[in-house]
Amino acid sequence: MAEKILFANFKGGTGKTTNACMISLRLAELGNKTLLIDLDPQANATGMLLLTKQRNTGEITKFNSTLMTALDDGNLESIITSIKQNLDIIPTFVDFAGYPYYLMDKFEDERDRVYYLKTLIDKIEDKYDYIIFDVPPTISIFTDSAVVACDAVTIVLQTQEHSFLGSQMFIEYLQKLVNKYSFEIDILGILPVLLKNTSKVDQAVLENAKEEFGEVNFFENVVKNMERIKRYSMQGVPDMTNRNDYDMHDVKVYDMYKHVTDEFLERLNRIEGEQ
Ligand SMILES: Nc1ncnc2c1ncn2[C@@H]1O[C@H](COP(=O)(O)OP(=O)(O)OP(=O)(O)O)[C@@H](O)[C@H]1O
Ligand SMILES: [Mg+2]
């Protein structure tokens, strides 16, 4: 069975997609069979990983179906797309925006709607060590479907007040869902993403958040603000085995995500040990 982890915050633009993609790439590089499921109709993770594939291999990916058609067929297998060795994606397309309406037509019962995706993931999860979910920053059936299908959540907290509130809201909402549907889910940790690397305001927001959520719940590694990362959503992530494709700025990002992913795995092991 795969470990299934969601990256979340109800504030937009905190780095959910970037971190989900960068950690997925590193998990795959470490030899773990990894699947990223893009449940955001904005398709940012799909874009970033397809660009990465194109950058690394020159291959353009053609699709014969969409996530919506796969969902309608009740079989996600047909849409699974390889990005690189050990890393696959379930990509999304604009028609996925219609998923809530599709579910309303298909199921009377709200629980059946929310659990439909999980029933399909149950059929494919044996092929993977890790399944990573990316969702929109909204209270929606997209997020609910991912939450009930996951084992753990990583909250991505950017060091600004709105992101802090978005994290609080997410945790409260999680509790409501757990009460409503009675399932188990862990908080893997809160991953801080710095808005500015040296700002006092950022530090103050972080300290405030640590007091609120408890320091042990925070990743020790922080994701620094790095200009280079911004390029990856438009140009893909370089292949670090191809010396012609990266420079020292890429190496810095790469090293940072090595450490973040190590801690991600340590935290997962800890949660498993507690069960
Ligand atoms: N560590 C970082 N340093 C600099 N820029 C970053 C960093 N992480 C993310 N970004 C940039 O911030 C923007 C938002 O990031 P991203 O799309 O990952 O956030 P998100 O939480 O998934 O957004 P949404 O809520 O819209 O889904 C992107 O342009 C991304 O390139
Ligand atoms: Mg996103």
Side-chain angles (χ1 to χ4, degrees), residues 22 48 228-238 250 253:
M22 295 305 290
M48 188 162 163
R228 179 52 51 101
I229 293 177
K230 292 203 172 86
R231 279 196 201 177
Y232 293 171
S233 48
M234 289 168 289
Q235 300 177 355
V237 183
D250 298 305
V253 177

Side-chain angles (χ1 to χ4, degrees), residues 19-247:
N19 286 295
C21 290
M22 295 305 290
I23 290 173
S24 295
L25 283 161
R26 178 65 186 159
L27 287 171
E29 193 180 52
L30 290 170
N32 302 294
K33 296 237 170 283
T34 307
L35 173 70
L36 187 141
I37 305 185
D38 188 354
L39 291 180
D40 183 350
Q42 290 184 99
N44 292 337
T46 300
M48 188 162 163
L49 290 187
L50 287 179
L51 286 166
T52 300
K53 178 178 178 179
Q54 201 179 327
R55 175 173 180 162
N56 297 171
T57 65
E59 251 179 80
I60 312 279
T61 309
K62 293 195 182 82
F63 296 98
N64 298 320
S65 61
T66 67
L67 175 54
M68 268 316 298
T69 48
L71 287 163
D72 193 32
D73 293 343
N75 177 9
L76 294 175
E77 199 86 47
S78 62
I79 192 67
I80 293 177
T81 303
S82 168
I83 295 296
K84 64 172 212 174
Q85 194 180 13
N86 296 326
L87 179 60
D88 292 344
I89 186 171
I90 291 188
T92 195
F93 304 88
V94 281
D95 60 346
F96 187 54
Y99 188 53
Y101 308 104
Y102 170 80
L103 289 172
M104 271 192 265
D105 273 354
K106 193 174 169 78
F107 300 106
E108 292 255 318
D109 184 46
E110 198 183 354
R111 186 190 173 94
D112 291 341
R113 292 177 195 153
V114 171
Y115 273 80
Y116 180 56
L117 181 77
K118 178 176 161 43
T119 62
L120 302 184
I121 292 171
D122 286 349
K123 294 186 201 166
I124 55 161
E125 72 164 313
D126 279 353
K127 285 169 55 180
Y128 296 99
D129 298 312
Y130 298 102
I131 300 181
I132 306 292
F133 292 78
D134 187 35
V135 291
T138 48
I139 293 176
S140 59
I141 196 121
F142 300 109
T143 308
D144 293 2
S145 300
V147 167
V148 300
C150 272
D151 304 307
V153 182
T154 300
I155 310 256
V156 180
L157 179 127
Q158 205 178 52
T159 49
Q160 56 167 303
E161 202 58 34
H162 291 302
S163 173
F164 174 54
L165 296 174
S167 306
Q168 266 178 327
M169 263 174 68
F170 188 83
I171 291 169
E172 280 164 23
Y173 189 70
L174 206 57
Q175 194 56 55
K176 274 192 200 153
L177 281 184
V178 166
N179 294 343
K180 189 166 173 186
Y181 297 119
S182 357
F183 60 97
E184 278 181 28
I185 192 159
D186 283 300
I187 295 196
L188 184 71
I190 301 169
L191 177 64
V193 176
L194 296 186
L195 195 57
K196 295 194 192 100
N197 293 336
T198 53
S199 153
K200 285 204 174 119
V201 178
D202 282 34
Q203 289 304 331
V205 172
L206 193 53
E207 288 313 312
N208 190 4
K210 282 185 178 171
E211 265 176 41
E212 170 81 19
F213 299 125
E215 186 148 5
V216 287
N217 294 314
F218 276 75
F219 275 68
E220 283 171 28
N221 287 279
V222 292
V223 175
K224 293 195 174 134
N225 190 306
M226 291 176 166
E227 272 309 301
R228 179 52 51 101
I229 293 177
K230 292 203 172 86
R231 279 196 201 177
Y232 293 171
S233 48
M234 289 168 289
Q235 300 177 355
V237 183
D239 174 1
M240 301 306 281
T241 62
N242 176 2
R243 188 63 197 90
N244 297 322
D245 195 32
Y246 66 87
D247 66 19

